Each structure stands twice: as structure tokens, then as C-alpha cells.
Amino acid sequence: MERDRGFEPYETAHLVRLLQIARLRELGMPLADIAELETSGETFTQTLRTLDAQLAESIARSEVLRAEIAELLEHHAEADVPAGFASVADALTPADRAIVMISERLFDEQGRKDLREIAAEHQEADDAFNAVPADADEEEIDAVASQLAPVLRTIHEEHPGTRTPPLVPERRAALPDLTQAVAELYNPAQVEVLRRAYVLAHQAEADGGAPPVREDQAGG
């Protein structure tokens, strides 16, 4: 039976429109945007520029992710390694990795960069801290705290943002998690070392000099 030629123009226009939509979808344009293109009055060129900017942002993000993946592969890093720490992962204990991952939530990009530099530059003090046993006596706790205090002071001087990070509400919510993680992941002696080291470092900063010498060191 012969087709009714009265429907051919509509059918052809419909087909062309479907092909146009398919082409725009290939370019990455969402269907909602294609529909708006018909009603918003926005020119096709403007729409393409908007789409191009979105694609550029997506490509930049993908490049960052690829660089991070490449670093993880290069250093054979495990899943618990925080972003940007693959090169120093072998020097971090599982507890250190967890603390860093939680701590990153407190900082902006500069603060996270500072954390990476700190992890790479102060491994000797970390080794002493990691070796503190749960049953360490007062003398050992004091000794490690005194060793750690000048390191903390140097860190605060070189990376002041790590001492008092700008805590916007969404970052402030990470503080309780960090406090809980320190108590759970480090033994009581290590927690006490941290407390004393921070006290000594802050005292030295307030005095404008080196951390105070312990009584048992004064007689030299």
C-alpha cells in the first residue's frame, strides 16, 4: 500500500531531530540541556562553550586522578595510603596513615601539602615516637617528648597553618574523630608523649626560645 505523502515531511523532520539529539549526546550534552536549548533562546555556540568549559574541568580532574593513581602504582602503595603520601608510605605505620587520612579533613589544599612535607622531613622523631612501648616509664616518656618538642616547634614555624588550621564548620566536625583516633590507635604512653611534647613546644614558642631543659639534663 502506498504511504500517505502528507506525513513524510513530519517523519523526516522527526528523524533529523533524533539524529541531532544523538549527535549532541555524543558531544556529552545532557538531555535536559538539549531540551533547554530549544526553549531558552541560548545560541548553539554559547551552549557549546559552556559544554567545553565543563569538559575542560572534567579532564583536569581526570588528570589529577591519573597522576595520583600513577604515584600509587609506582610505589606499590596499599589502599590505606592517604592521597599524596605514596612516596613516604613505607615510613608510616598503619596508625600514622589513619591519623593522616583523618587529619586531612581539617586542612585546605595548602594544609594538606604541608602535611605531606612534614611526613617526608621529620622521620627521625617519628621513629622514636613509634618505638614508645605501652609500658614506657616516666623517664622514657619525657625523653621522647623532649626530642619531639623541637620538631613540633619547627613544624609550627615552617607550616603555621598546621598549628591552628582555619576550621570552617564542615572541617570542625573532624576534630572529635581525630581525638578518638589518637586515643584508639596509639598506646597510652604515646598519647602522653604527644601531650607533653605539645606543652613543651608551646612553652618554647611563648618564651621565644628552645624547649625548656628537663631537670635531669640541667646538670649535664
Side-chain angles (χ1 to χ4, degrees):
M1 184 173 62
E2 188 176 338
R3 295 175 61 191
D4 185 345
R5 294 183 178 277
F7 286 100
E8 286 184 0
Y10 172 79
E11 291 176 349
T12 300
H14 186 62
L15 174 60
V16 170
R17 180 56 182 157
L18 288 176
L19 293 173
Q20 288 175 341
I21 290 173
R23 175 56 179 153
L24 294 174
R25 290 290 290 142
E26 289 176 354
L27 291 173
M29 188 176 297
L31 285 173
D33 291 350
I34 295 173
E36 289 179 3
L37 186 62
E38 295 183 332
T39 60
S40 67
E42 185 178 22
T43 68
F44 183 56
T45 299
Q46 290 172 327
T47 301
L48 288 178
R49 285 173 178 164
T50 300
L51 180 60
D52 183 62
Q54 293 171 346
L55 289 173
E57 182 178 347
S58 176
I59 290 170
R61 174 59 180 160
S62 296
E63 289 176 346
V64 170
L65 292 176
R66 288 199 67 200
E68 183 177 335
I69 290 171
E71 184 184 20
L72 292 171
L73 290 172
E74 178 184 355
H75 297 283
H76 306 284
E78 300 295 335
D80 64 343
V81 176
F85 284 78
S87 62
V88 295
D90 290 343
L92 299 175
T93 67
D96 293 336
R97 297 178 184 184
I99 292 296
V100 168
M101 192 168 289
I102 294 173
S103 298
E104 283 189 314
R105 296 164 57 201
L106 297 172
F107 298 99
D108 56 16
E109 180 55 38
Q110 180 59 50
R112 290 189 286 271
K113 180 182 177 181
D114 290 343
L115 287 179
R116 291 190 288 270
E117 292 178 359
I118 291 166
E121 295 170 358
H122 300 286
Q123 192 54 50
E124 183 177 347
D126 288 343
D127 291 341
F129 172 78
N130 291 331
V132 175
D135 59 352
D137 58 25
E138 288 292 315
E139 183 176 357
E140 184 174 2
I141 290 174
D142 271 344
V144 178
S146 295
Q147 180 180 350
L148 188 57
V151 175
L152 289 176
R153 186 183 177 203
T154 298
I155 288 172
H156 293 161
E157 290 175 347
E158 296 178 348
H159 310 284
T162 60
R163 180 180 180 183
T164 54
L167 295 181
V168 294
E170 58 268 25
R171 291 179 184 152
R172 189 177 295 112
L175 275 175
D177 295 333
L178 180 59
T179 301
Q180 179 178 341
V182 169
E184 290 182 2
L185 296 173
Y186 295 131
N187 66 52
Q190 289 175 313
V191 174
E192 181 60 18
V193 165
L194 289 176
R195 188 192 70 80
R196 296 186 189 185
Y198 272 101
V199 169
L200 291 172
H202 292 171
Q203 285 178 348
E205 291 167 4
D207 296 339
V213 178
R214 302 196 322 269
E215 290 183 3
D216 61 332
Q217 296 176 324

